[in-house]
Each structure stands twice: as structure tokens, then as C-alpha cells.
Amino acid sequence: MSDLVVVEGLGHRYGSRVALESVSFVVRAGEFFGLLGPNGGGKTTLFRILTTLLPSSAGKATICGHDALRYRDEVRRRIGVVFQSPSLDLYLSARENLRHAGRLYGLSGRTLETRLESLLDRFGLADRADDLVRALSGGMRRRVEIAKGMLHEPSLLILDEPSTGLDPSARRELWSVLEGLRDRTGVTILLTTHFLEEAEHCDRLAILDRGRLVACGSPAELKARVGGDCIRVDCERPDELARSVSSRLGIEATVVDGQLRVETRDGPALVGRLMSEFGGEVRAITLGKPTLEDVFIHETGHRFELADVVNAVGEKP
Amino acid sequence: MSGQTPPVDGGASRNPAPLPGIWLPCRTLWQREMVRFLRQRGRVIGALGTPVIFWLLMGSGLRDSLQVPDAAENVSYLEFSFPGAIAAILLFTAIFSTISLIDDRREGFLQGVMVAPVSRASIALGKILGATTLAVGQAIFFLVFIPAAGISTGVGSLLATLAAMILLAFGVTGLGFWLAWRSESTQAFHAVMNLVLFPMLVLSGAFFPTAGSAAWLQKIVACNPLTYGVALLRHTLYLDSASPSVSPGVSLPMALGVSLAFAMFTFVLSLLSVSRETTRVLQ
């Protein structure tokens, strides 16, 4: 069994609002897998279904070989879950929180204490283990959350927006913790994120937008689909320019967020041609290798950050 | 962690966590309730102080103005209302403890419990037993006022009263759990409390004798499960006395039977609400 998570035609509606529609992908064992999408894209719904908290209204999710809908306890004992919102008891210490969590997973006595101590140690929490959680910093709390998710040695660790609310240094620290975990224990990691930079670090990605899967693959594969280079032109009248570029040079140009955008195999050559033909209208021109943002635009036709707004508006019933 | 070298298959074949059964999660959730209670000092003081002050002030104030029918000449209001004060302590502390369920949902602790392979029965049971323990613990403290109330009790009577308190607390905690599980906020919960629980207490024969009141009122009193709880306490407190100074109004088997049925009913209600719902946890 090398596919740890198999999602087939998964769909969900809240009343009449479609939150997820025929989403299919696979997470392989040992992978660092990211679910990337703007807010409101369907990530949280998918997270709830995969963590057995929400029954899907269509399709099927199989986790570690068990149907997430029909064999919830079989799935629950094999996955560790780290929520976006805190799930720790603030009136308990880190050690007490872990101890209670361990017992909920059937651990007790010496086994529980040994695991607990080694996790506290490994996550750099040993000195603060007896302080109430409310006295710990955000980064430390997040580490306690992850330690809690790893206590029962799950095959799959699922994290919902783990870096939301963390400052850049705590975010980097979080990533080294996760990467260390994966390398040391072989646990498969599935996380949701709306940070493009973060998604770059994943082995493979599924990109969600408005409840649909728009692309799935490694960051390199996804970028390769866009083509060689991306050129953006900042100009006075982008729509007019797009038409003239299409008609005079015979290449497809789109307008995204007030900028002219062209995908091409040979960027430098095209920059030269654009400048010689339309130099007068260009305010600024940028040439770059495609980023995940370009992938998102390529697949959806709109920008990633703007998608937040679009989805938020679309969400209203 | 399972070993120094990562498994080749990415940990897919790793042993799953053992299924915890009913009692281990139940015990750990119970224990958490105790620790949380003790760490919130305000709760300890408030829980102990309020009913004592309430009973002493009401009892002293109403001493001369209230005639207790069906009772010996010399029965004081402090004595008459003593079982009712116990019921009030049980009701209010049990219900207030279940408010923590709303906090658990809001603070997020509950979502972590819901993704664990824990039977929903042990979630309800751990929480309800925790609140029951707190309520009974406080009521036990209150028993030191038995001499002040002028009731003479023996060991048998005390033990029977303890058992009755546990039964009553379990029943009202179940009710609190069910209400709290359905409440969106603590404010909503308070509103329901005032609307439902206060009349329940007042119309239970706890603070004034209902024998002489209007027929419609007596019907409500007869339908109120707490009436039988208060009656049960009246029976157990006077178990060792030859002639009880206050008539409980309901026979012992009836009082016990209804209290047991009420406890079972609210527990099943709580259990059903936990089992049915999975989605609202993540708000």
C-alpha cells in the first residue's frame, strides 16, 4: 500500500452552497503533500472530511486503507491531527495536555510517559513542560500541538494551515520541525496552506480553487506546464495592448489584475520584441521563471490573492 | 518514536494506536475537569459560598413569616429548606460545570477529543461524571450545616443522602450537558438556565411547601423531576429519625424511581446529541 490517502470524486455542499466538487487526488506514503488554495477554496472542508469530522456528501476518501466515512475509528487511530485553531487546554501544562491526549489514544502507564518525555525533549519543550500552556508563546504552543498529534505515532499527520498566525521566524522553525519529523519517523505529512512560498517546499501539491481541484503535481511539474518564462508588462492601457500584441505578434496575451501577462518559451527574445514594438507604452516589464502564482493564473485565469476576495464574495448565500 | 531508521513504506504499515475503550478516556476527561476546577480559584470560592449564604439569609429572613403545613410545630425554615438548599447546590454547580463544555468548544479542546478514536459515550460520561463529582463534593461540604439546621442524622442516613445526592447530580448534569452541547454561547446557556432551571428549583417544594397552593401549580410541581429529587433528600435525611418533622410528600419508592428514570433519560439525551453531531465541533 503506497497510496496513504485516496480521494475519489469527493464533493460537499453546505445547504445549496457547493464547497467541494468532484475532487480526486492521491497522497503517497512518506510524502510531504500540500493542499494549496485561497481562503474559501475548499481546503477546510476537505480537511474536515479527511479528519473524519464531516461526512462528505459525494465521493469517497480512503485513508490508510480505511473509508473515512464508514470506519472512522480505524482512520482516527492512524492519523494525527493539528488544527488551525488551538486545541490545547490553557489551564493545563504542556505535559498534562499531552498526557490527556495520549490516553484518548489508548496510551497509558510507562509507554505513555516514555513517549511523552521523548517528544517534549525532541520538540525543545522540556524546560517549559510544566508551565501552563497559556504562558507559552505562539510558536511553542504550535509545537505542543504537533507533539500532541504525533503522540500515538500516526502514519499520517494532517495539519490545517499550520503557519497561520506565526511570524516568519516561527514559521521557518515550524517547517524544520516538520521536515525533521518526516525524515526521522517516515510519517506522511498532509497540510493545507494559502502561502505560496510554503507550498514550494512540498513534494507534491493539490491546488484548490472554488471547491475544485485545478492542478496536482510537484511544484516543478506544475511550473513546467506553464511553459518557459512569464512576462508581465505594466502599462497605461493593458486591454488595448493585449489586443495589439495578439494581432501584431500572434501570441496569446492576457490581462490579469491590470497587467499584461504573456507566457512564452523564450522570454528574453520576446522582451526584446515587445520593447521594440511597444516600448512607448511600457511603464515596467518583468521577466521571470513561472512561480506557483503563475501556475494558479495559468489554471484559473485569475490571481491567487484576488481569488480570496472573489471567493469571499461568492460565499455569501 | 518508532525507530531510528524511517520505514521504507513511509510508515504505512506502522501499528495503529490501540483503541482506548470506554474507561481510559472517560477517566482522563474526568481528571481534567477536577484539575481545571481547582486551578480556577474564583470557581471554588463562588461555588462554595453562594448556596451557604443564600440558605442562611433566606432561612433566617423567612423564619417567622412562613408556616410549614404538615409538619411538627417546632420545625424552622432553616430545617425545612435544608434539603432544598442541597438540591440547589447540586443543580447550580452541576449546571455551571457543564458550561465548560461551551468553553471547550470555543477554545478548541473539544475538536481534539472528537478526532480521537474515542467512543462518544465516554466523552459524555467523562464530562458528566466530572461535573457530578464537583457538585457532590460541594454538597458534602454543605452537610456540615446539618446540626445548624436542627436535623439529627446517623451514619445510615448520611450514606443514603450521599447516594441520593450522586443520583440527583448525575441527572441534572446530564440535563446541563444536553443544554450546553446545543448552546452556541455561554450567554444563550445562561438565558436557558434562567428560563428553565430557576422555575424547576422554585417549583420543587424545595423552598416553600406546595401542598396548599393552586391546583395548576400543583400539577406543574408533580411533573417536575426535581420535586422527586427534593423528596428523596427529605426521605434520606430523616432515615434514622423515628418521626420526620417534615413530610416529603412523595413516597420513597416513587421519589427514587423518578430520580433514577430522570438520570437515565438525561444521560441518553446527552449521548444522542454527542453521537449525532460531528460537524459543529469545528466552529
Side-chain angles (χ1 to χ4, degrees):
Chain A
M1 187 183 71
S2 66
D3 290 342
L4 213 55
V5 177
V6 182
V7 172
E8 294 160 286
L10 211 58
H12 192 75
R13 318 168 154 263
Y14 297 103
S16 63
R17 187 171 75 84
V18 178
L20 218 54
E21 201 172 351
S22 48
V23 169
S24 303
F25 63 90
V26 160
V27 179
R28 299 174 193 139
E31 255 184 344
F32 206 134
F33 191 90
L35 284 172
L36 173 70
N39 293 323
K43 297 185 308 271
T44 303
T45 303
L46 190 49
F47 170 83
R48 289 179 186 179
I49 293 172
L50 295 180
T51 53
T52 75
L53 286 172
L54 184 70
S56 55
S57 34
K60 190 174 167 193
T62 311
I63 296 158
C64 307
H66 298 274
D67 187 322
L69 190 57
R70 290 170 61 205
Y71 301 102
R72 289 195 291 218
D73 277 350
E74 289 304 318
V75 171
R76 283 171 182 158
R77 63 204 286 212
R78 287 171 173 85
I79 60 171
V81 181
V82 179
F83 294 93
Q84 178 181 358
S85 56
S87 73
L88 301 172
D89 187 331
L90 300 178
Y91 285 97
L92 301 181
S93 68
R95 182 179 274 120
E96 288 167 331
N97 264 294
L98 293 183
R99 196 174 284 141
H100 285 301
R103 291 190 191 136
L104 293 179
Y105 284 89
L107 304 170
S108 61
R110 174 115 5 126
T111 324
L112 175 58
E113 295 304 315
T114 332
R115 281 199 200 173
L116 202 143
E117 293 311 321
S118 88
L119 277 173
L120 286 170
D121 226 31
R122 187 160 287 158
F123 282 80
L125 295 160
D127 333 332
R128 305 289 305 275
D130 292 314
D131 294 358
L132 295 192
V133 167
R134 59 196 314 191
L136 302 182
S137 69
M140 284 188 114
R141 288 186 196 181
R142 201 56 60 106
R143 274 183 284 160
V144 181
E145 298 267 8
I146 297 172
K148 186 174 142 188
M150 287 302 292
L151 206 51
H152 55 292
E153 298 181 348
S155 306
L156 172 69
L157 185 65
I158 307 184
L159 306 95
D160 191 18
E161 302 270 350
S163 26
T164 299
L166 295 182
D167 59 52
S169 77
R171 201 176 291 171
R172 275 193 298 278
E173 182 196 288
L174 172 82
W175 272 80
S176 71
V177 164
L178 290 179
E179 273 161 3
L181 260 185
R182 196 264 304 260
D183 294 345
R184 200 170 46 242
T185 69
V187 67
T188 305
I189 294 179
L190 188 155
L191 55 80
T192 67
T193 181
H194 66 276
F195 291 111
L196 292 159
E197 326 80 87
E198 195 161 271
E200 296 274 358
H201 296 284
C202 295
D203 295 332
R204 287 195 321 127
L205 285 174
I207 302 181
L208 285 172
D209 184 49
R210 297 177 198 182
R212 291 169 181 276
L213 184 82
V214 292
C216 184
S218 71
E221 278 165 17
L222 293 173
K223 289 174 193 168
R225 283 201 220 167
V226 175
D229 299 309
C230 276
I231 298 168
R232 287 163 197 248
V233 183
D234 197 359
C235 57
E236 202 71 47
R237 295 181 201 86
D239 292 304
E240 263 174 43
L241 188 62
R243 273 193 296 276
S244 12
V245 168
S246 300
S247 59
R248 302 238 297 264
L249 303 183
I251 45 178
E252 197 191 335
T254 51
V255 178
V256 178
D257 196 27
Q259 281 187 328
L260 183 79
R261 189 171 168 284
V262 186
E263 290 167 14
T264 175
R265 297 224 168 278
D266 187 2
L270 187 61
V271 170
R273 283 183 69 192
L274 282 171
M275 287 309 287
S276 59
E277 298 266 351
F278 309 102
E281 291 166 59
V282 172
R283 249 185 277 157
I285 188 162
T286 326
L287 166 68
K289 293 286 167 199
T291 61
L292 284 175
E293 160 111 59
D294 293 311
V295 173
F296 190 81
I297 295 169
H298 180 80
E299 302 289 348
T300 67
H302 57 96
R303 278 189 65 178
F304 192 80
E305 289 97 60
L306 280 182
D308 273 3
V309 180
V310 171
N311 286 328
V313 170
E315 230 168 69
K316 297 253 167 63
Chain B
M1 300 289 106
S2 52
Q4 292 312 305
T5 47
V8 187
D9 64 351
S13 69
R14 167 194 317 217
N15 289 332
L19 284 173
I22 294 240
W23 295 109
L24 186 63
C26 180
R27 193 189 87 201
T28 208
L29 291 173
W30 175 86
Q31 193 184 347
R32 167 175 173 266
E33 289 300 315
M34 300 302 116
V35 173
R36 265 175 81 91
F37 176 76
L38 294 173
R39 288 194 184 155
Q40 291 167 297
R41 198 165 299 155
R43 276 179 73 187
V44 182
I45 297 166
L48 280 180
T50 319
V52 174
I53 291 170
F54 184 71
W55 174 67
L56 282 175
L57 295 183
M58 280 250 315
S60 312
L62 291 174
R63 182 183 309 179
D64 303 319
S65 51
L66 218 91
Q67 289 278 314
V68 181
D70 274 350
E73 274 297 297
N74 58 346
V75 65
S76 70
Y77 187 71
L78 278 182
E79 178 172 356
F80 175 79
S81 62
F82 191 77
I86 295 180
I89 295 177
L90 293 177
L91 187 67
F92 284 111
T93 49
I95 299 277
F96 273 119
S97 311
T98 50
I99 290 186
S100 65
L101 192 63
I102 300 171
D103 292 332
D104 287 350
R105 190 193 296 280
R106 210 190 49 226
E107 288 165 13
F109 181 81
L110 193 61
Q111 56 188 355
V113 178
M114 295 303 272
V115 291
V118 175
S119 89
R120 310 292 105 163
S122 49
I123 299 176
L125 200 59
K127 198 82 190 174
I128 291 176
L129 286 180
T132 301
T133 310
L134 294 176
V136 172
Q138 280 157 32
I140 286 175
F141 264 100
F142 188 66
L143 293 183
V144 302
F145 291 100
I146 286 183
I151 304 171
S152 53
T153 50
V155 178
S157 164
L158 281 179
L159 288 178
T161 303
L162 180 65
M165 292 193 315
I166 293 172
L167 179 60
L168 238 70
F170 191 82
V172 291
T173 310
L175 179 66
F177 184 95
W178 179 68
L179 290 175
W181 190 270
R182 302 163 59 88
S183 296
E184 301 291 333
S185 65
T186 49
Q187 287 92 330
F189 186 77
H190 280 294
V192 173
M193 284 225 350
N194 290 336
L195 200 68
V196 176
L197 301 177
F198 193 66
M200 243 178 107
L201 188 61
V202 171
L203 296 179
S204 68
F207 295 112
F208 62 88
T210 51
S213 30
W216 65 269
L217 205 66
Q218 290 203 31
K219 282 205 183 97
I220 301 180
V221 171
C223 296
N224 181 0
L226 210 59
T227 303
Y228 302 87
V230 173
L232 184 62
L233 287 170
R234 290 201 195 281
H235 276 291
T236 58
L237 277 169
Y238 293 104
L239 206 64
D240 297 334
S241 337
S243 58
S245 41
V246 182
S247 155
V250 181
S251 74
L252 178 60
M254 182 75 175
L256 186 61
V258 174
S259 300
L260 268 172
F262 178 65
M264 300 257 288
F265 176 70
T266 58
F267 181 66
V268 169
L269 219 55
S270 309
L271 203 56
L272 287 179
S273 50
V274 183
S275 315
R276 195 174 308 140
E277 175 212 87
T278 44
T279 55
R280 241 187 71 218
V281 173
L282 277 164
Q283 283 174 350

